[in-house]
Amino acid sequence: MVREKRRENLCVTVPTLFRCPISMDVMKSPVSLCTGVTYDRSSIEKWLSLGHNTCPATMQTLLSTHTTPNLTLRRLIHHWLLHPDMSPSPPLPLPPATSKRQVREIINGSVSCDSLSKIVDFMKASEENLKFIAFSDDAVSKFVEFFGNCKEIEVCELIVELLDLILSENGAKEKLNSLILKSNKDSLSSFLLVLREGSVKSKIKSARILELIALNSESQRKIAENGGILYELYSLIAVEKDRLAIQAGLSALLAISTSRPVRKELILFGIVKTVGEILSNTNTVRAVIEKALGILEMVATCTEGREAISEDEKCVVEIVRRLMKCSNVATEHGITVIWSVCYLARDQTAQEKVMKVNGLTKVLLVMQSDCSVSTRQMCRELVKVLRVKNSKSCLASYETKTTHIMPY
């Protein structure tokens, strides 16, 4: 009886603020979306991994799927859980809010972990506070300058979080591009440190920042030429299992790898095999599939890339399997890759792989779908080259339900 009563009290006395809006359980690791709603990390990451792009509580479309740890709420929950009887208690007072005057004093003084934590909390407190920092040239310049000279991973991670918050404001990409890439400070080395030694969350934010400041060919070249960054971004998709980390790594590589030398370097890393593994995973979500196929389309522009795609055991087969099953974007990327290896390169190994998995039927279906003019033209050219692989009839390998489709 006592135990039942205690469980009853527990259910009644759990503060609503401490419950995850999805699971309704007490949050273990509260994180906030860009809408301001806080969820337990495991619940919201599961929601996002299913391909949703909305806030579950408000159903607003998310401008960003990045989450921010709600440290204050986590401290409150932790304090509440420490009470052995789990009885109701007065709420733990929130730490005093940092004022704009105090922020100015921090900016004009020395930078430390404690001062940076206060700045980050200040920025998260309101949109007004965020804009106050984002549009302060002195503040942003000082943080970037300090970042370029910093070798402490904890401090670097805090500055990365701060810069990631700033990126949501108008003109921030251009400002950070100028400060990070055109200054004499070695900020890229600090990004490399975070990508090597930081938490997964910090790596994701670093990749996002690098992607968004790669505004032109000069910026892309500077980032790619910095020793190690390209490989660490590749490692983010090859080693990490976190879906958001893989997506961030692919996005950054797509933004940075615009030159032939960089693409050849990625091929040497093993990007084709890694992407093949990603595509073969049945749990891979749409956003990741689209970016993975985008990477393959990018590397297929060079001879080495086409050869690697043709020789890989999974790539061509998985591309054909994904046609018409993910999105129009993914299908058009996929057709371009198949066209590059089968028609442009005339690779017989790739042609045979396509035919073995009924690829000709898929190409015909894509050609009859609502695809772009260029994709439809590539499909026509693929039909011409693939029909040669069948000596009996160009329709011999078609499935019954598609024999009515004429290739021309």
Side-chain angles (χ1 to χ4, degrees):
M1 289 292 291
V2 174
R3 289 180 181 175
E4 287 178 6
K5 185 175 181 181
R6 183 165 174 171
R7 280 201 301 271
E8 250 178 28
N9 289 340
L10 175 61
C11 292
V12 172
T13 58
V14 174
T16 304
L17 183 67
F18 295 172
R19 293 183 184 273
C20 172
I22 297 176
S23 68
M24 297 308 295
D25 293 329
V26 176
M27 289 182 278
K28 296 178 181 178
S29 179
V31 294
S32 301
L33 289 176
C34 60
T35 56
V37 182
T38 299
Y39 303 89
D40 189 61
R41 182 185 295 279
S42 61
S43 297
I44 193 60
E45 287 187 350
K46 183 177 180 181
W47 169 267
L48 295 173
S49 70
L50 293 174
H52 297 296
N53 66 340
T54 55
C55 174
T58 66
M59 295 312 294
Q60 290 176 265
T61 300
L62 297 174
L63 299 178
S64 168
T65 57
H66 290 282
T67 57
T68 303
N70 192 327
L71 301 179
T72 300
L73 184 56
R74 186 171 67 181
R75 286 195 293 268
L76 287 170
I77 293 172
H78 179 70
H79 180 273
W80 179 74
L81 290 172
L82 287 177
H83 292 280
D85 59 355
M86 304 299 285
S87 59
S89 59
L92 188 68
L94 294 173
T98 305
S99 66
K100 290 183 179 180
R101 180 183 61 79
Q102 291 172 314
V103 167
R104 290 192 187 96
E105 290 175 356
I106 292 172
I107 294 170
N108 295 328
S110 60
V111 179
S112 65
C113 268
D114 182 59
S115 63
L116 285 170
S117 295
K118 290 180 180 178
I119 293 289
V120 170
D121 289 341
F122 172 81
M123 294 170 69
K124 291 178 181 177
S126 70
E127 186 68 23
E128 180 187 352
N129 289 356
L130 176 57
K131 291 182 183 296
F132 177 78
I133 296 294
F135 295 118
S136 170
D137 290 336
D138 290 343
V140 178
S141 298
K142 178 160 185 176
F143 295 137
V144 171
E145 180 180 5
F146 188 79
F147 186 58
N149 294 319
C150 183
K151 302 302 177 187
E152 296 180 36
I153 185 63
E154 294 83 2
V155 176
C156 286
E157 286 185 298
L158 282 167
I159 296 179
V160 162
E161 185 172 5
L162 185 152
L163 297 179
D164 183 64
L165 288 169
I166 289 173
L167 278 172
S168 62
E169 300 301 319
N170 291 333
K173 291 186 292 186
E174 292 76 11
K175 180 186 291 185
L176 290 180
N177 171 282
S178 178
L179 290 172
I180 293 172
L181 298 176
K182 296 181 181 178
S183 68
N184 296 322
K185 302 301 177 183
D186 197 10
S187 298
L188 290 178
S189 293
S190 296
F191 278 115
L192 179 57
L193 175 64
V194 175
L195 288 170
R196 281 178 174 165
E197 302 179 17
S199 64
V200 174
K201 177 191 73 173
S202 297
K203 290 179 181 180
I204 291 171
K205 291 180 178 180
S206 293
R208 180 169 179 263
I209 294 169
L210 291 170
E211 174 199 352
L212 294 178
I213 65 173
L215 299 175
N216 49 47
S217 58
E218 182 184 358
S219 304
Q220 294 152 6
R221 178 183 57 78
K222 284 185 176 180
I223 296 171
E225 287 181 353
N226 183 278
I229 283 185
L230 196 66
Y231 181 76
E232 293 304 327
L233 289 173
Y234 163 73
S235 296
L236 203 57
I237 70 169
V239 177
E240 296 293 344
K241 302 301 180 184
D242 185 286
R243 190 269 297 178
L244 295 176
I246 295 171
Q247 185 175 334
L250 289 169
S251 297
L253 288 175
L254 279 168
I256 295 164
S257 309
T258 55
S259 67
R260 180 182 174 87
V262 174
R263 292 170 186 174
K264 289 175 69 175
E265 195 169 354
L266 281 178
I267 295 164
L268 290 174
F269 290 158
I271 190 72
V272 171
K273 181 177 178 60
T274 298
V275 170
E277 294 290 341
I278 292 172
L279 292 176
S280 67
N281 187 337
T282 55
N283 295 322
T284 303
V285 298
R286 184 182 69 181
V288 173
I289 292 171
E290 290 176 351
K291 293 183 187 303
L293 289 170
I295 287 282
L296 288 181
E297 179 180 344
M298 181 184 69
V299 300
T301 57
C302 61
T303 304
E304 295 85 353
R306 292 190 289 270
E307 290 175 353
I309 292 169
S310 299
E311 293 169 2
D312 188 79
E313 293 181 2
K314 296 181 178 179
C315 254
V316 173
V317 172
E318 293 302 327
I319 292 170
V320 174
R321 187 170 68 85
R322 294 289 185 179
L323 292 177
M324 305 287 289
K325 288 188 176 181
C326 179
S327 67
N328 288 340
V329 172
T331 295
E332 297 204 354
H333 283 321
I335 287 293
T336 304
V337 177
I338 296 172
W339 175 87
S340 297
V341 295
C342 292
Y343 180 82
L344 183 63
R346 291 296 203 277
D347 189 290
Q348 293 189 10
T349 302
Q351 292 171 5
E352 289 169 1
K353 287 178 180 178
V354 171
M355 293 298 292
K356 283 181 180 178
V357 290
N358 205 29
L360 188 53
T361 298
K362 287 285 191 77
V363 171
L364 282 167
L365 289 172
V366 173
M367 190 168 66
Q368 300 295 319
S369 69
D370 184 24
C371 61
S372 66
V373 174
S374 60
T375 299
R376 188 170 289 111
Q377 179 59 34
M378 283 188 280
C379 287
R380 292 193 184 99
E381 292 170 344
L382 278 169
V383 169
K384 290 178 183 178
V385 73
L386 292 176
R387 64 187 291 189
V388 177
K389 302 301 296 182
N390 192 316
S391 58
K392 294 181 180 180
S393 167
C394 68
L395 297 176
S397 64
Y398 291 10
E399 290 179 350
T400 304
K401 63 183 179 180
T402 58
T403 55
H404 66 285
I405 300 176
M406 297 301 293
Y408 307 107

